[in-house]
Structures are given as structure tokens and as C-alpha cells.
Amino acid sequence: MFFQIFIIGLLLAISPGPDFFIVMKNSLGYGKKIGIASAIGISTALFIHVSYTILGLAIILKQYIFVFKFIQILGACYLIYLGMKSIILTFSNKKGTTNELKTINYKDKYIYSKKFAEGFRNGFICNILNPKAFLFFLSVFSQFMTPHTPRWIESIYGLEIILAVGGWFTILSIMSSSRIFRTGYNRCRNWIDRLFGALLLFFAYKICKSVFD
């Protein structure tokens, strides 16, 4: 059972979604440190998801559907913000003019720098407001727990999910921030950032569509 939980968590992480693209974007654009910061943010958000699932709050949220829809809308708004910001930044001059980002030397291979806390915040907010994560813990993860499952077993299940997802995104950030990936990214940075922005907007659209359908 423990192995099954770990594999399910790994498949959750590998499947493309907002978290995946946030880690990729931050790793390619700002380096391994910021990519790992985003992975840690995602893992921290997962800890909260695990906690309320174990405490039974997920069932309460399901009963009050308007609360879940509100969370979905907040998540969509954040993805829209990130997507638009990613696209708009590509049209700014190469010296950088935004408040949050500052330019650094081209020899460092990164056009902009970002603080560790910003990378963490990107990952945390993206995951905590991600309906996909909520539905996973409500539907799939909860299937492995019964009223008779000891609390320590439930905690191990949750820890496995966090380790699987956090481990995968850490590996992804290291891989995507490697020299070969950065070289390709820097050659067509604007178009890749626009693609990431468009994908985030697409996920926001899918969330909004599910809310209002």
C-alpha cells in the first residue's frame, strides 16, 4: 500500500499542470535555487492539503461547494496574474523595468533575478489554490483511508505524497536549470516565456470553465 501511494503521488507530480510549469519557468528563467524554492513552496502547500484531509476538513469543504468554487476562482485569478505577467515581461526592454525583477549580467546566463521567497511564494500559492491538488486528496488519497486507519499511517501516506511530489519537482528544477537547458532557453527566451504564460492562462480558463459550467 505504501508503494502504491508513492507511485500515485509521483504520477500526480509528473502529469503536466500549473505546478509543473511554474517550476520549469522559474528554473529556466531564474536558476536552480529559485526552482527549488518553488518546489519547497509546493511541498509546503501539500502539507496543508494532507493536514486538512487527515482532519476530515476535506469532506466539509466538499459539502459546502461554494467554498470550493471560491478557491477555484482564486486559483484561476492567480494563474491569470502569473500568465499575463510572464507574457507582458517579454515585451519589456532587456534592461528590465519591473519592481519585482532586476537585471543581472548576461554572462550569468540569467536575464532577471528573483528572490528565494518569491519563488517559494509562486509554488505555494499555485498549489494551495490548485483544484487538482484538492480533488486528488479528496478523491484518490482519501480512498486509502478508512475510519479505522491509524492516524500515524495516514501521516505516512501524506508524507509519501509530499516526498514524491517535492522530490520530483526538485529534480526537475535541477535538470531544467542545467547549462544545456539554459542555453536553449536563452536563445528563444521570449517565445518560451510567452508559451508558459499562455499555458498558465489555459489552465486558468479550464478552471473557470469548470466553475461556471
Side-chain angles (χ1 to χ4, degrees):
M1 188 68 72
F2 293 113
F3 181 72
Q4 288 178 284
I5 290 287
F6 184 84
I7 294 298
I8 290 174
L10 192 59
L11 292 175
L12 170 71
I14 293 175
S15 59
D19 294 341
F20 179 90
F21 291 110
I22 286 295
V23 173
M24 280 286 291
K25 182 181 182 303
N26 281 346
S27 299
L28 284 170
Y30 309 104
K32 177 174 63 178
K33 179 181 176 181
I34 306 305
I36 292 176
S38 300
I40 295 174
I42 292 170
S43 299
T44 304
L46 286 174
F47 176 79
I48 295 177
H49 287 304
V50 168
S51 298
Y52 69 63
T53 302
I54 292 176
L55 294 173
L57 297 180
I59 304 300
I60 297 176
L61 287 175
K62 182 181 180 181
Q63 292 175 343
Y64 294 94
I65 191 65
F66 66 91
V67 176
F68 178 54
K69 288 187 177 293
F70 179 69
I71 294 173
Q72 284 183 295
I73 293 172
L74 286 179
C77 289
Y78 187 65
L79 292 181
I80 291 171
Y81 163 73
L82 291 177
M84 291 302 298
K85 182 178 177 181
S86 179
I87 294 172
I88 291 172
L89 185 61
T90 64
F91 294 100
S92 65
N93 61 55
K94 293 186 178 180
K95 292 183 177 180
T97 57
T98 65
N99 293 326
E100 296 184 15
L101 305 175
K102 59 181 180 180
T103 57
I104 59 178
N105 199 312
Y106 274 89
K107 70 180 181 180
D108 293 322
K109 301 298 183 182
Y110 300 109
I111 307 301
Y112 298 101
S113 65
K114 179 180 281 194
K115 294 180 180 179
F116 187 91
E118 293 178 85
F120 176 89
R121 185 173 64 241
N122 288 159
F124 178 82
I125 297 178
C126 185
N127 185 270
I128 201 69
L129 297 178
N130 186 357
K132 175 184 173 183
F134 176 85
L135 290 173
F136 170 80
F137 284 100
L138 182 62
S139 56
V140 180
F141 183 61
S142 297
Q143 298 301 314
F144 292 89
M145 300 189 304
T146 69
H148 305 291
T149 304
R151 186 61 56 86
W152 68 272
I153 292 291
E154 296 176 346
S155 299
I156 291 177
Y157 287 163
L159 181 61
E160 282 189 285
I161 299 295
I162 295 171
L163 290 176
V165 176
W168 160 252
F169 283 130
T170 298
I171 293 172
L172 178 66
S173 65
I174 294 172
M175 291 174 55
S176 55
S177 60
S178 63
R179 183 174 298 275
I180 185 170
F181 277 90
R182 282 178 9 219
T183 300
Y185 172 75
N186 287 329
R187 287 176 180 172
C188 47
R189 178 180 61 88
N190 285 340
W191 288 109
I192 293 176
D193 283 351
R194 289 168 190 167
L195 174 62
F196 282 142
L199 287 170
L200 292 174
L201 291 176
F202 172 72
F203 283 115
Y205 163 75
K206 289 186 67 176
I207 292 172
C208 291
K209 190 173 184 297
S210 69
V211 171
F212 297 108
D213 275 354

